[in-house]
Amino acid sequence: MTTKREFLLRSPMFVPAFNRRYIDKAILSDADALILDVEDSVPLENKQEAREILADYFSRGVFRDRQVFIRINALETSDFVADMEQLVFEDLDGYMPPKIHCAQDLVLVDNQLTLIERKHGYPNGKFVLAPLIESAAAIVHINEIAHASSRLIALCFGGEDYLDSMQSAYTHLTPAFIYPRNAIAIAARSAGLLPIDTPYLEISDAEGFMEEEREMYKMGFAGCLLLNPKQIELAHQAFSPLPEEIEHAEGVVAAIEEAMTRGTGMAVFKGIAIGPPMRKLALKVLAQRDLIQRLAVKRG
């Protein structure tokens, strides 16, 4: 496999792949990643057109400095085969396979990508995977899914299809999401992956978005799937360390390092006993800050 890349996925945004106007706007946006969609947002009769449009855009190198994924069609469809044959591009980071129900689904996609990489002369592991977890069955098998492929970089929660599988209904802060969100966050983090939350459907409700997604950040989520550019800046605020969190992390690291010079790993910072676990978390907060700054510079 190739060396594992760093991905920043606070604001992965869906873009219908058959709509050039939306693609043009998305390219100019500040979204951390673009998810070019040839699945749900593309009518059946427009799927081949969408593939041809994407081939045109990739041929012009417009995604070269972006994190870009393609949401392909489900494994059981004939469109999945067409996607795997036609949607293979140098500047593509990877794929978002939908409706993943078990680990074997990802093994099949992984094997297919290995053949594609050999065929096109790419290094093994060039294309990564950020699958959608959208069913009760997937939650039952979430730990196996999280360890199914070394290509995995994230687990993404698809709440609407999950509610359908549960015969439930969407409401703000619906209790039906409590268990799957926890399960996805725990499984992803245990496997070294990024847990990504389901889209927030009320596009114009900035206050509700921040209330819900800031809680998801505290739960361990790294980002939220987006449906509209209006949500990009909100997602960046929700899933980035706050200035006071960065200041606290720097203080924790400094206090423990000072304590270590005295021969102990324990210290007191602002009246609170801190030790190695707090230092590990603080270093992760600072690493997230550095990653955001580094990729911002790269984007220019």
Side-chain angles (χ1 to χ4, degrees):
M1 299 292 291
T2 56
T3 302
K4 198 109 176 182
R5 289 161 278 168
E6 288 184 302
F7 287 90
L8 183 65
L9 299 177
R10 298 169 300 172
S11 56
M13 183 172 68
F14 286 112
V15 186
F18 78 108
N19 191 314
R20 289 180 179 269
R21 183 168 64 90
Y22 287 168
I23 296 174
D24 291 339
K25 285 185 176 181
I27 291 170
L28 298 176
S29 78
D30 290 327
D32 285 341
L34 304 181
I35 307 169
L36 304 170
D37 185 23
V38 296
E39 196 218 9
D40 277 356
S41 69
V42 179
L44 189 61
E45 63 270 19
N46 295 111
K47 290 191 184 290
Q48 184 55 34
E49 176 189 4
R51 296 184 193 102
E52 293 169 2
I53 288 173
L54 290 186
D56 173 52
Y57 274 91
F58 276 100
S59 71
R60 292 187 271 128
V62 297
F63 299 120
R64 191 155 295 142
D65 296 322
R66 303 299 305 253
Q67 293 179 136
V68 183
F69 301 82
I70 295 177
R71 176 163 73 165
I72 53 178
N73 288 277
L75 274 70
E76 62 269 19
T77 67
S78 59
D79 281 300
F80 169 77
V81 177
D83 292 344
M84 291 291 89
E85 289 177 348
Q86 299 178 45
L87 300 177
V88 182
F89 308 109
E90 175 69 32
D91 295 333
L92 180 66
D93 287 291
Y95 301 88
M96 176 178 280
K99 299 173 177 62
I100 294 299
H101 301 301
C102 62
Q104 186 59 29
D105 289 343
L106 284 176
V107 171
L108 291 173
V109 179
D110 186 318
N111 290 340
Q112 184 72 24
L113 290 178
T114 297
L115 295 175
I116 287 170
E117 288 162 347
R118 290 175 183 171
K119 176 181 178 180
H120 291 270
Y122 293 133
N124 184 29
K126 169 180 169 53
F127 297 116
V128 300
L129 292 171
L132 277 165
I133 306 303
E134 304 179 89
S135 68
I139 295 300
V140 169
H141 299 291
I142 193 65
N143 290 317
E144 293 91 343
I145 289 172
H147 293 86
S149 168
S150 57
R151 295 181 187 274
L152 286 170
I153 61 156
L155 297 180
C156 306
F157 183 31
E160 287 304 293
D161 280 295
Y162 175 79
L163 290 176
D164 177 63
S165 76
M166 290 292 292
Q167 298 184 39
S168 183
Y170 177 83
T171 59
H172 180 61
L173 291 174
T174 175
F177 284 173
I178 294 174
Y179 179 75
R181 276 172 161 161
N182 276 280
I184 288 170
I186 293 169
R189 291 300 186 182
S190 73
L193 311 177
L194 300 176
I196 308 299
D197 193 28
T198 189
Y200 187 82
L201 301 182
E202 288 84 3
I203 302 300
S204 298
D205 181 13
E207 183 178 346
F209 182 101
M210 288 301 295
E211 176 190 5
E212 185 156 327
E213 298 313 327
R214 193 63 191 173
E215 287 302 306
M216 294 307 102
Y217 173 76
K218 294 174 185 177
M219 186 184 288
F221 278 86
C224 173
L225 298 171
L226 303 185
L227 302 175
N228 190 286
K230 290 181 180 180
Q231 299 173 316
I232 294 172
E233 183 54 36
L234 296 172
H236 291 176
Q237 293 176 34
F239 293 100
S240 297
L242 296 173
E244 54 265 35
E245 291 174 327
I246 293 172
E247 181 182 359
H248 179 81
E250 290 174 335
V252 167
V253 171
I256 293 182
E257 288 181 350
E258 181 182 348
M260 291 173 68
T261 64
R262 301 194 303 268
T264 176
M266 299 297 296
V268 176
F269 178 66
K270 293 185 177 180
I272 299 174
I274 56 175
M278 292 78 161
R279 180 176 183 271
K280 289 179 183 178
L281 180 57
L283 289 173
K284 288 177 181 177
V285 170
L286 299 180
Q288 175 76 351
R289 175 203 60 187
D290 295 344
L291 176 60
I292 292 169
Q293 294 174 346
R294 189 161 59 251
L295 292 186
V297 170
K298 181 180 177 183
R299 288 275 309 276

